[in-house]
């Protein structure tokens, strides 16, 4: 089962502990929305969003963000990837390897620094160690290509 949020404007979407039940969650073409996913998920895909805020609790696999502009994100996942995004602020916990940016610009990264009551248990169930994160080890897929004007900035 996949949860799907499509073409929303100015909405607050909250998924509390136990609501996602480890399933996939997809957000598509939303504007001026706030998403709070305080539960474990299998995978998250975010496409074509503008001026949105995302809080994503432990994702067992990947969070893939495409064609998004001017969004703020707090994310705990195994793999994080952006493609064709601009002006993102990302507070990240990335458990398996490097976060990847591709054809993206003005992306700022910081460490994941949030908590809620069930988060430690969700980290354990997702088999994520809070001391094992690669949030600052960004890999720019298009850094040396002639097709992208990619920039990355790290902050702590």
């Amino acid at each position: 089962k996949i949860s799907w949020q499509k073409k929303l404007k100015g909405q607050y979407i909250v998924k509390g502990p136990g609501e996602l039940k480890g399933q996939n969650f997809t957000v598509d073409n939303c504007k001026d929305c706030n998403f709070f996913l305080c539960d474990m998920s299998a995978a998250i895909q975010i496409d074509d969003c503008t001026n949105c805020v995302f809080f994503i609790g432990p994702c067992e696999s990947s969070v893939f963000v495409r064609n998004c502009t001017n969004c703020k994100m707090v994310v705990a996942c195994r793999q994080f990837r952006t493609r064709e995004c601009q002006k993102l602020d990302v507070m990240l916990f990335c458990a398996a390897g490097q976060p990847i940016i591709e054809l993206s610009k003005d992306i700022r990264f910081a460490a994941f620094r949030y908590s809620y009551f069930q988060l430690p248990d969700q980290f354990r169930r997702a088999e994520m160690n809070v001391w094992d994160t690669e949030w600052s080890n960004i890999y720019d897929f298009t850094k040396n290509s002639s097709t992208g004007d990619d920039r990355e900035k790290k902050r702590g």
Side-chain angles (χ1 to χ4, degrees), residues 65 68-71 82 85-90 106-108:
V65 183
C68 292
T69 302
N70 201 36
C71 293
T82 68
C85 293
Q86 59 184 342
K87 297 183 181 176
L88 301 183
D89 287 333
V90 183
D106 297 325
I107 312 296
R108 299 188 309 169

Side-chain angles (χ1 to χ4, degrees), residues 8-88:
L8 299 176
K9 280 189 170 186
Q11 300 289 311
Y12 280 81
I13 306 299
V14 178
K15 300 293 182 184
E19 289 188 53
L20 291 178
K21 298 181 173 127
Q23 300 298 315
N24 295 343
F25 193 85
T26 300
V27 179
D28 187 20
N29 198 18
C30 294
K31 186 174 182 179
D32 302 317
C33 291
N34 293 273
F35 295 88
F36 298 92
L37 310 180
C38 299
D39 195 14
M40 279 181 46
S41 59
I44 305 285
Q45 186 168 314
I46 302 169
D47 292 318
D48 301 307
C49 291
T50 303
N51 299 325
C52 292
V53 173
F54 296 90
F55 181 95
I56 300 171
C59 178
E60 293 181 291
S61 62
S62 64
V63 173
F64 195 14
V65 183
R66 298 183 299 192
N67 302 303
C68 292
T69 302
N70 201 36
C71 293
K72 297 188 183 319
M73 302 180 161
V74 177
V75 178
C77 62
R78 286 212 182 282
Q79 180 188 44
F80 182 82
R81 185 170 188 163
T82 68
R83 180 173 172 83
E84 297 183 65
C85 293
Q86 59 184 342
K87 297 183 181 176
L88 301 183

Side-chain angles (χ1 to χ4, degrees), residues 102-116:
E102 183 176 2
L103 298 173
S104 297
K105 61 183 179 179
D106 297 325
I107 312 296
R108 299 188 309 169
F109 289 90
F112 181 95
R113 294 184 182 150
Y114 287 86
S115 187
Y116 51 92

